[in-house]
Amino acid sequence: MAIILQVALDFVDLHRAINVARESLDGGADWLEIGTPLIKSEGMNAIRHFRKLFPRTTLIADMKTMDAGRAEMEMAAKAGADIAVVMADAPDSTIKECIEAGKNYGIKICVDCINDFNIEDRAVAIEKWGATYVGVHAAIDDQMYGKTPFNSLRRISDKIRIPIAVAGGITSENAVDAVNAGASIIIVGGYITKSENVKAAAESIKRSIRENQKIPTTFFKRATHEGVRQALEKLSTANVSDGSHRAKGITELYPLYQNIKIIGNAVTVRTYPGDWAKPVEAIDVAKEGDVIVVDAGGVGPAVWGELATHSAMQKKISGVVVWGAMRDVAEIRKLKFPAFTKMIMPTAGEPKGFGEINIPVYVSGIRVNPGDWILGDDDGLMVIPQSSADVWINYGMDCLEKENRIREEIASEKSSLGKVIDVLKWEKE
Ligand SMILES: O=C(CO)[C@H](O)[C@H](O)COP(=O)(O)O
């Protein structure tokens, strides 16, 4: 079987899905998948629409069926799908019902192994029951934790003879790995559907498969703990907040200049009003790339100034955040040292040595632990827990990628945000 490129249209709006479908086909996509979000949002009418618009294209209904297999396959078939998807986690009876219904209504069945249960035995049973395809799949949420479908693929590729579909974070960089590991249907969602140039993205997957080579991509890759800093360079604080269920950022602190960016692990300092000893000592504790976060109680006198800034720059520290006051700001601005402060004043305090370094502190009510990632820009500051930074960042990247696509749709369709995302449709009744 020739390698198939199946584009997963995981949209909630029909018009966006249709535009992306057209562009994907122009780029060489073979099959179109009516994604689960589209089916949930528009029902079987989504499939009917696609059938009418694309009469000769193979359409997959990603029903993700878990029960009542016969009824769901019948609906998908009657709406015009060629293939429908049931979950491998569903009861055996449901999968068998789907396969039987498929024979009755002239629709092929793909069984999606989205979870890591005993996948070898399950795939063999699914083949024996008569499914046409087996899918291996890293769920979108699992992708944020670094999961890929490749391990599952390797586990079953020599156990079954029916074609294997692979999904979950496939890009032009790894599509070829999927083919070489035994997949014959390459399902691509975000890499194509969130791309600013859908046609070019589809073409790049086809080319990577044809030429058996990896084509590098900047977006649509998920970060590991080692890649956090690099990923944060692409993200805004707004992306990170959106990605983490609108997590609260630090408010009441202001950047000393515009177009600012701070990225680094926190070296925390608790000090007392005007006592600049611990902030200065923290410069010697911090490593290159760290951010010094000072809790001075949100009041003056100043605990940070020009000389501290010069020392921090010598050590290549990434920036400073002061829940209190700073001075010499004209000089700090000239040095372009990333700094956020609550207050600016000429008066400094005395170095008394009260307080601690590298203990949990609170900045404007937000807890900062030593080592937490700090991301700052013109919108403010986000504190990202160190232990789950990869997940926060991956969800943030997902938001950034979606926005990149929406921006492109507003421009190319000379449209508005409200129209592109059909905002009225989603208002509460
Ligand atoms: O079925 C899906 C989610 O359950 C997606 O369609 C599938 O994962 C492909 O999307 P992506 O390439 O963005 O992972």
Side-chain angles (χ1 to χ4, degrees):
M1 170 178 178
I3 305 298
I4 300 285
L5 168 57
Q6 172 176 328
V7 177
L9 300 161
D10 290 321
F11 290 94
V12 292
D13 297 300
L14 202 48
H15 72 283
R16 296 189 66 208
I18 291 167
N19 289 344
V20 167
R22 285 203 176 101
E23 290 173 42
S24 313
L25 293 173
D26 285 349
D30 302 292
W31 292 357
L32 295 177
E33 172 189 315
I34 323 297
T36 317
L38 194 53
I39 290 177
K40 289 195 173 171
S41 144
E42 299 285 343
M44 294 301 105
N45 280 337
I47 304 173
R48 286 190 192 97
H49 243 89
F50 268 79
R51 185 75 290 157
K52 231 181 259 164
L53 290 170
F54 306 99
R56 279 181 292 280
T57 306
T58 298
L59 295 183
I60 295 88
D62 190 4
M63 304 289 281
K64 287 200 172 66
T65 295
M66 283 298 284
D67 192 8
R70 187 188 304 199
E72 294 206 0
M73 297 303 107
E74 180 182 350
M75 283 196 293
K78 288 185 171 169
D82 300 290
I83 301 169
V85 180
V86 55
M87 304 312 286
D89 277 349
D92 294 4
S93 55
T94 300
I95 298 174
K96 289 178 187 168
E97 275 293 283
C98 288
I99 293 167
E100 278 315 299
K103 288 180 197 153
N104 256 329
Y105 295 106
I107 191 171
K108 292 176 178 149
I109 304 300
C110 178
V111 185
D112 181 349
C113 304
I114 205 168
N115 277 326
D116 272 338
F117 45 88
N118 187 354
I119 192 167
E120 293 91 339
D121 290 353
R122 197 73 177 148
V124 169
I126 288 163
E127 177 173 50
K128 201 171 93 205
W129 295 334
T132 314
Y133 310 106
V134 165
V136 292
H137 190 171
I140 286 174
D141 289 323
D142 279 348
Q143 290 173 39
M144 305 301 162
Y145 293 78
K147 194 174 167 198
T148 74
F150 295 105
N151 187 35
S152 299
L153 179 57
R154 281 187 285 268
R155 282 168 63 189
I156 65 163
S157 60
D158 61 349
K159 305 271 184 311
I160 55 174
R161 297 161 70 97
I162 56 174
I164 302 175
V166 65
I170 303 295
T171 67
S172 57
E173 261 179 41
N174 60 14
V176 75
D177 296 334
V179 174
N180 293 337
S184 30
I185 302 166
I186 309 299
I187 304 176
V188 183
Y191 172 79
I192 290 179
T193 60
K194 291 188 281 173
S195 174
E196 290 171 64
N197 188 338
V198 165
K199 179 171 177 248
E203 279 168 351
S204 71
I205 299 273
K206 289 294 274 193
R207 183 155 62 86
S208 76
I209 294 170
R210 200 171 48 244
E211 296 172 3
N212 199 39
Q213 61 157 329
K214 293 171 183 278
I215 300 176
T217 175
T218 312
F219 293 108
F220 319 107
K221 293 190 290 194
R222 298 301 164 228
T224 57
H225 277 288
E226 293 70 51
V228 166
R229 184 181 295 272
Q230 219 183 347
L232 284 175
E233 273 159 18
K234 297 186 199 130
L235 291 174
S236 67
T237 52
N239 298 144
V240 171
S241 173
D242 283 355
S244 295
H245 304 274
R246 300 188 200 105
K248 271 178 79 172
I250 291 177
T251 54
E252 297 178 61
L253 260 66
Y254 297 95
L256 283 199
Y257 54 87
Q258 287 184 333
N259 290 325
I260 202 165
K261 187 108 182 186
I262 290 191
I263 301 170
N265 295 103
V267 169
T268 58
V269 181
R270 189 200 292 146
T271 187
Y272 290 84
D275 182 352
W276 48 264
K278 291 292 170 207
V280 163
E281 289 165 31
I283 298 169
D284 293 323
V285 172
K287 299 184 302 303
E288 178 177 338
D290 285 343
V291 174
I292 294 177
V293 179
V294 181
D295 170 7
V299 295
V303 292
W304 190 274
E306 179 208 338
L307 295 179
T309 300
H310 275 292
S311 331
M313 289 180 79
Q314 288 296 328
K315 285 206 72 185
K316 297 195 166 63
I317 287 166
S318 286
V320 64
V321 172
V322 175
W323 175 236
M326 255 181 216
R327 67 177 191 173
D328 308 324
V329 296
E331 185 62 20
I332 300 173
R333 283 184 184 127
K334 225 186 303 162
L335 292 167
K336 282 252 165 211
F337 183 68
F340 281 72
T341 188
K342 183 176 180 226
M343 302 162 87
I344 296 171
M345 60 181 61
T347 317
E350 295 260 340
K352 302 223 184 270
F354 292 124
E356 311 287 339
I357 295 175
N358 276 336
I359 52 147
V361 295
Y362 286 85
V363 175
S364 175
I366 304 283
R367 183 179 164 119
V368 185
N369 294 305
D372 282 348
W373 282 93
I374 304 295
L375 175 67
D377 59 22
D378 290 12
D379 284 345
L381 292 149
M382 291 300 298
V383 181
I384 303 167
Q386 193 181 26
S387 58
S388 44
D390 53 345
V391 180
W392 278 56
I393 276 150
N394 288 333
Y395 276 112
M397 282 302 286
D398 185 49
C399 294
L400 168 65
E401 291 157 2
K402 281 181 182 143
E403 285 189 359
N404 286 345
R405 176 69 204 162
I406 290 172
R407 187 183 311 110
E408 169 57 29
E409 288 180 25
I410 292 170
S412 66
E413 294 169 26
K414 295 194 175 24
S415 190
S416 66
L417 176 60
K419 289 204 180 87
V420 168
I421 65 167
D422 205 351
V423 73
L424 285 174
K425 176 173 154 187
W426 299 103
E427 279 181 7
K428 279 188 180 165
E429 304 235 323

